[in-house]
Amino acid sequence: MNVLLFGANGQLGQELLRALAPLGTVTATTRSGSLADGSSCDVADFNQPATLAALMDRVQPDVVVNAAAYTAVDRAEEDRDAAWRANADAPGVIARWCAAAGVPLVHYSTDYVFDGQGTRAYLEDDATAPLGVYGQSKLAGEDAVRAAGGRHLIFRTAWVYASHSANFLRTMLRVGAEREVLRVVADQVGTPTPAALIADVTAQVLQHPGRLSGTWHLTASGQTSWHGFAEAIFAQAQAGGVLARVPVVEAISTADYPTPAKRPAWSVLDNGRLQQDFGLQLPSWQDGLKQVMAGIAPAGTATR
């Protein structure tokens, strides 16, 4: 299998490089033309969507996996055009090429396509109503992928993190080592989901004998608040020797921590359809956290 991977430098992209490698040849692309380890790769600039078709013509992939996106949620409010180019226009170009070539496309979306006013886990067919530019642009990307008419697998995910890159877990470990007290929002609820889990599921789905096409929710199972996630991170960090001392985590409301972009208060996605359609069992968010934390070296450990 010849896999073309967009966005290989992101936290999900780095995990996809690992998970997709056993499937065949992975052609990685980044905007800079270099990978996180310093090695070179192909250039794919999502700020110039029109340039992407020529790359796909040259690579001639058997499957395309798009993990590239504009993810700066707050900055998107003032940088709408750039967010739209990366999250809507570029996926549209990719999807139309894939449809014409008969190549399946894996594309990732977000819980931000919903308004967060739900009281039960969101189903794939629930009405969308994004609150800000980021969610609006990601929803437009979904629509563009569907409109292209080719075989597509859209995976909506949420609260993604990893032991590397910039994310909530890494921020908590860094700030937690510096401060005695942290204030973390407790009235936003969702499901922390490891990037490694998303990547592993993607690899499994691509090997599934059925040729399914559609939209699925790909998250870990269960739910918590950002405050609950932070407390779990610190409990694991202390137990694993990653932090010798953990801070007190005070619960605050969203109103206490204003941001340019409004976040959905309820981001729990129902992953039952994914598990049923592909014969998968998705772990709890707590088990996912344990696996990620197990890969982080204890404080004071020498690394090469």
Side-chain angles (χ1 to χ4, degrees):
M1 186 181 293
N2 181 16
V3 182
L4 176 58
L5 171 62
F6 289 108
N9 263 356
Q11 61 177 344
L12 176 55
Q14 292 181 50
E15 296 292 345
L16 283 164
L17 280 174
R18 169 193 57 78
L20 297 175
L23 304 187
T25 300
V26 179
T27 301
T29 75
T30 66
R31 184 173 181 177
S32 66
S34 62
L35 297 172
D37 63 5
S39 60
S40 61
C41 67
D42 283 278
V43 173
D45 188 355
F46 273 45
N47 201 42
Q48 300 182 60
T51 64
L52 300 176
L55 170 65
M56 292 182 284
D57 284 339
R58 176 168 57 81
V59 175
Q60 288 295 308
D62 300 314
V63 61
V64 174
V65 179
N66 178 31
Y70 185 111
T71 58
V73 175
D74 290 321
R75 194 163 69 237
E77 294 299 306
E78 296 182 354
D79 200 10
R80 184 185 186 279
D81 290 345
W84 219 265
R85 283 192 295 271
N87 293 343
D89 297 342
V93 169
I94 294 168
R96 289 188 290 274
W97 187 96
C98 288
V103 170
L105 168 63
V106 177
H107 178 74
Y108 302 95
S109 191
T110 173
D111 56 302
Y112 278 64
V113 300
F114 298 111
D115 64 9
Q117 299 302 305
T119 55
R120 56 155 176 80
Y122 282 108
L123 299 171
E124 287 82 353
D125 299 328
D126 283 338
T128 53
L131 299 174
V133 171
Y134 169 68
Q136 292 163 3
S137 65
K138 291 296 289 182
L139 180 59
E142 287 188 13
D143 291 341
V145 169
R146 296 188 190 100
R151 183 190 171 205
H152 61 270
L153 300 100
I154 297 172
F155 294 130
R156 291 183 185 139
T157 189
W159 293 28
V160 182
Y161 69 98
S163 60
H164 53 81
S165 305
N167 56 66
F168 184 79
L169 178 141
R170 297 274 294 179
T171 299
M172 288 298 101
L173 293 179
R174 175 178 54 81
V175 179
E178 301 169 350
R179 304 180 190 174
E180 294 185 358
V181 179
L182 293 180
R183 303 168 75 235
V184 181
V185 170
D187 59 356
Q188 294 176 23
V189 177
T191 306
T193 302
L197 173 63
I198 301 169
D200 290 340
V201 168
T202 299
Q204 290 177 269
V205 166
L206 288 175
Q207 298 173 84
H208 192 270
R211 293 185 57 82
L212 298 176
S213 185
T215 302
W216 292 268
H217 290 166
L218 199 177
T219 65
S221 298
Q223 64 191 63
T224 189
S225 65
W226 288 114
H227 177 268
F229 187 26
E231 289 197 315
I233 289 169
F234 291 128
Q236 289 289 323
Q238 188 169 41
V242 176
L243 292 178
R245 173 198 57 79
V246 299
V248 174
V249 185
E250 294 182 351
I252 62 171
S253 70
T254 299
D256 296 323
Y257 189 75
T259 56
K262 188 176 181 181
R263 268 74 172 165
W266 177 260
S267 287
V268 183
L269 305 180
D270 189 309
N271 58 25
R273 179 183 294 182
L274 178 72
Q275 297 189 80
Q276 179 177 351
D277 286 352
F278 295 101
L280 301 171
Q281 185 168 1
L282 295 171
S284 68
W285 70 265
Q286 295 95 327
D287 285 343
L289 176 60
K290 289 177 183 177
Q291 291 181 3
V292 174
M293 290 296 296
I296 298 178
T301 301
T303 57
R304 292 185 179 182

